[in-house]
Amino acid sequence: MSNFSIDPVVFDALASFKTPEQLGFGRVKSPVMYRANCIDGEWQAGEVGLYAPISVDPAAKVLHYAQEVFEGLKAYRVGERKPNFFRPLKNQQRMAFSARRMVMPEVPPEVFMEGISAITGLSKDLIPVKSGESLYLRPFLIGMTGELGMAPSSEYAFLVIASPSQAYHAGHMKVLIEREGCRAAVGGTGAAKTGGNYAAATLSAKRTQARGYHQSLWLDPVKRENVEELSGMNLFALIDGELHTPELTPTFLEGITRDSVIDLAKHLGHQVVERTIPIEELLQDIRSGRCTEVFACGTAAIISPVSVIADADDTAYELPQVDDLAATLRSRLLDIQERRSEDPFGWVVELEDEYYNLAETNAGAAEAS
Ligand code: COI
């Protein structure tokens, strides 16, 4: 049994919460949040309170030196079943990897699971029940020590917030090859899920969107020759009937959806190839008709088809097939995540009863006191 505390004010906030019709992504927030502090390497008991601004020392390391890591995962409740997660320990492991890179303490699996489970259990009535929608969970860890010297923090806060959401990007994406900028450097933090990588991608995203495209396509930062990722999504291309995806490098993020798509596609009988993919070769393969389909995937985005890859001079390489294999993989993946089908991989993790019953158990106690 976990030993976190719940501020009783959250029950009124949850009872009076009205979920808007239009959710979008990450805009609507559950009124509760979880927090556990780590002081000098010791994890303190977790607390659930109201979603509210947090107090941060103006000299905190997170504000000046970006000592921060985060995760994104979802709780599903399609069919109004008991909520479930999808491979949550993969997120915990990736967060531990990111934390090591940023000289931060690893959030232990039990603290990570307690945080996401408490917020999901308390927010269960806010979880959308339409296919493709979910409660997007955002666990994050920040360096709180208020000293301006360049050194790791001694105090950290691990928080979990949640947002009833639709998919991040619905529809076909036009992507623009980023020929100038880099998202991450060799020896840098590209493989860690840390805010600085996303900050570094923002200027490119702004320019890309101003030109009428949806996402920048990042190339390797050394030669600028090989496909790496879209910010926040990994890429797949169907070439000669085989599914190709860039093999992992230390400069881009290992997607959990990427890993799941690889296993799922193999399970469905597809040949999957992880390899270096030179951008010129991919463009040539689109021109010649060998590459018939491209799609991106990520936790927030699920699986999103790409209709056009454009070069810096706006030369457009149109994909003849849009959302064909992508649609099949998306529906098979959602069938597992939303529990309409068998889960041959053991990916689905149901919310434990103690968390499912949190609202009822504690609301009664709060009223009695
Ligand atoms: C996710 O897919 O969970 C992400 O972290 C991407 C984010 C930029 C929306």
Side-chain angles (χ1 to χ4, degrees), residues 25 70 72-73 136 138 168 193 198 232 298-301:
F25 173 79
F70 71 97
L73 75 163
Y136 183 77
R138 175 55 64 89
Y168 184 48
K193 201 162 174 68
Y198 296 79
T299 299

Side-chain angles (χ1 to χ4, degrees), residues 1 4 6 8 10-11 14 121-122 124 352-369:
M1 177 70 188
F4 64 97
I6 303 180
V10 303
F11 299 107
L14 284 161
L122 287 167
K124 67 184 181 206
E352 287 177 17
D353 280 339
E354 72 166 289
Y355 295 102
Y356 185 67
N357 297 324
L358 264 184
E360 285 73 17
T361 320
N362 287 274
E367 239 161 60
S369 64

Side-chain angles (χ1 to χ4, degrees), residues 129-182:
V129 294
K130 250 197 247 160
S131 179
E133 300 184 351
S134 57
L135 184 72
Y136 183 77
L137 294 156
R138 175 55 64 89
F140 60 107
L141 177 69
I142 51 181
M144 298 293 278
T145 300
E147 287 172 15
L148 294 174
M150 262 201 64
S153 286
S154 51
E155 291 190 24
Y156 294 87
F158 169 62
L159 295 106
V160 181
I161 56 173
S163 170
S165 288
Q166 293 167 288
Y168 184 48
H169 187 278
H172 305 171
M173 287 189 297
K174 288 162 124 190
V175 305
L176 179 65
I177 302 166
E178 174 55 79
R179 294 279 187 182
E180 268 179 47
C182 278

Side-chain angles (χ1 to χ4, degrees), residues 7 85 109 147 206 277 333 356:
D7 183 339
F85 306 112
E147 287 172 15
K206 190 176 169 211
I277 304 181
L333 183 65
Y356 185 67

Side-chain angles (χ1 to χ4, degrees), residues 211-241:
R211 290 176 56 179
Y213 302 99
H214 298 102
Q215 292 278 329
S216 307
L217 170 57
W218 296 100
L219 304 178
D220 77 273
V222 181
K223 297 190 194 152
R224 315 283 181 96
E225 281 175 4
N226 304 316
V227 177
E228 290 214 324
E229 63 158 75
L230 306 176
S231 313
M233 290 176 234
N234 294 110
L235 205 78
F236 284 82
L238 190 63
I239 303 170
D240 292 334

